[in-house]
Amino acid sequence: MARKTANDDPLAPVTLAVGQEDLLLDRAVQEVVAAARAADADTDVRDLTPDQLQPGTLAELTSPSLFSERKVVVVRNAQDLSADTIKDVKAYLEAPAEEITLVLLHAGAAKGKGLLDAARKVGAREVACPKMTKPADRLAFVRSEFRALGRSATPEACQALVDSIGSDLRELASAVSQLTADAEGTIDEAVVGRYYTGRAEASSFTVADRAVEGRAAEALEALRWSLATGVAPVMITSALAQGVRAIGKLSSARGGRPADLARELGMPPWKIDRVRQQMRGWTPDGVAVALRAVAEADAGVKGGGDDPEYALEKAVVAIARAARSRRG
């Protein structure tokens, strides 16, 4: 799901991949290499780190060849190049060699910004590879992966996959690939649950859903199944936190259509409807109590306590009680 500039020719003389998301950076490189080898199967690929690209090295790699071979030169972590090497790269950018594609991978921060600006000034093809820190970004990534593979998945299935797998884009991409290869038809929440928890009820998002609905017994059962089937405790506290925060966000938002609230709160419309049903027994004090319980559980599963399972059980019970605070 990397974003590209208008110049979208992977064989452009210079491609600038900017960001810190490793999977997207690697895909930017793979796209260029694939295009080059489609044009010339004997394309020579040189993949270099900053310590391998010394002053003069780029000139050697890009000097004319007797065989006029196509070449791809990849420079990783370009922001870490030495000052002298950066001078070499800037000079090359002004007059790139024919049949050679230079790929610069840059973190995009202040370090090495002069090289970044120089590449942009000469019109380098740019691919944005930002770190996906927001759940909504990872959800959009999963949807795009299914679309790229020509498969459909329900919104609930995409959310379930993000909740089950976590923030690692490589694992999310691998999971989408496995599901599309193994499952037929539209991929739904039950399919995701069957593959990634051993039982649909045994996932972190199901624990959170039952807890915020005030169904303590069912939440505890789902919690035990989750832990038994290998779901990481930290994923469960993350799901609990998301569930309680969603209640808090929606309860403090002004009324409106799901689509309007979705834009305001950064949630998909289907989730707005679900959270509206879950928030009926909640009060502002109950949300505060539940958030404290989640924070304590998070500390407990990250080494602050002796028994992560007990910390999670305690949090689930506290959240379920908070969910019934309006009812007494």
Side-chain angles (χ1 to χ4, degrees):
M1 208 177 73
R3 299 188 300 276
K4 303 170 185 175
T5 57
N7 176 14
D8 197 23
D9 180 6
L11 294 181
V14 181
T15 285
L16 181 63
V18 184
Q20 300 178 44
E21 190 60 69
D22 289 340
L23 174 66
L24 300 184
L25 291 168
D26 285 346
R27 285 184 173 181
V29 172
Q30 291 163 9
E31 182 182 25
V32 172
V33 171
R37 286 184 169 155
D40 181 354
D42 295 324
T43 294
D44 182 22
V45 179
R46 303 296 180 92
D47 198 326
L48 307 170
T49 56
D51 62 304
Q52 295 173 312
L53 194 65
Q54 300 298 320
T57 304
L58 184 61
E60 293 177 10
L61 291 173
T62 57
S63 60
S65 167
L66 291 175
F67 304 102
S68 299
E69 64 180 355
R70 182 177 289 278
K71 186 177 294 184
V72 175
V73 178
V74 180
V75 180
R76 296 185 182 270
N77 299 312
Q79 72 279 355
D80 295 330
L81 292 171
S82 69
D84 288 339
T85 304
I86 286 177
K87 289 179 183 178
D88 283 357
V89 176
K90 286 182 177 180
Y92 176 82
L93 292 174
E94 295 295 333
E98 293 184 7
E99 300 297 311
I100 293 178
T101 299
L102 176 65
V103 185
L104 299 174
L105 276 56
H106 194 292
K111 186 178 182 182
K113 188 174 184 297
L115 179 57
L116 197 62
D117 293 340
R120 286 169 171 163
K121 185 177 179 180
V122 299
R125 170 182 179 259
E126 186 167 342
V127 181
C129 306
K131 197 75 175 174
M132 295 189 184
T133 57
K134 297 179 180 178
D137 292 338
R138 294 191 287 273
L139 186 60
F141 171 78
V142 167
R143 289 171 177 163
S144 71
E145 290 290 290
F146 278 118
R147 284 196 300 270
L149 293 171
R151 295 296 299 277
S152 60
T154 66
E156 294 85 354
C158 293
Q159 184 65 56
L161 197 58
V162 172
D163 289 339
S164 297
I165 301 299
S167 60
D168 190 310
L169 255 59
R170 291 186 190 279
E171 291 187 13
L172 285 169
S174 176
V176 170
S177 179
Q178 180 181 6
L179 287 169
T180 56
D182 293 353
E184 297 181 355
T186 298
I187 295 164
D188 58 19
E189 190 175 12
V191 173
V192 174
R194 188 163 63 248
Y195 270 76
Y196 290 98
T197 63
R199 168 177 166 173
E201 299 92 329
S203 58
S204 56
F205 59 87
T206 301
V207 177
D209 282 344
R210 299 297 85 80
V212 299
E213 290 162 4
R215 296 154 66 178
E218 293 176 41
L220 288 171
E221 180 187 4
L223 171 64
R224 288 159 189 153
W225 271 100
S226 293
L227 295 172
T229 53
V231 176
V234 69
M235 293 303 303
I236 299 173
T237 55
S238 175
L240 291 171
Q242 290 181 42
V244 175
R245 288 189 191 118
I247 297 288
K249 283 183 179 180
L250 193 56
S251 62
S252 61
R254 290 172 294 181
R257 297 179 305 167
D260 295 331
L261 287 170
R263 284 191 294 271
E264 179 184 344
L265 302 178
M267 299 180 192
W270 64 266
K271 190 169 184 179
I272 296 291
D273 292 332
R274 175 182 287 183
V275 177
R276 272 180 166 165
Q277 295 174 356
Q278 294 173 333
M279 62 184 283
R280 291 171 183 164
W282 286 86
T283 64
D285 287 343
V287 172
V289 168
L291 286 173
R292 285 196 296 272
V294 171
E296 291 173 3
D298 189 57
V301 302
K302 291 179 178 177
D306 296 328
D307 190 342
E309 184 174 339
Y310 173 72
L312 287 169
E313 289 182 354
K314 185 178 177 182
V316 163
V317 171
I319 293 168
R321 286 176 178 168
R324 299 192 297 271
S325 53
R326 190 182 298 277
R327 289 169 277 180

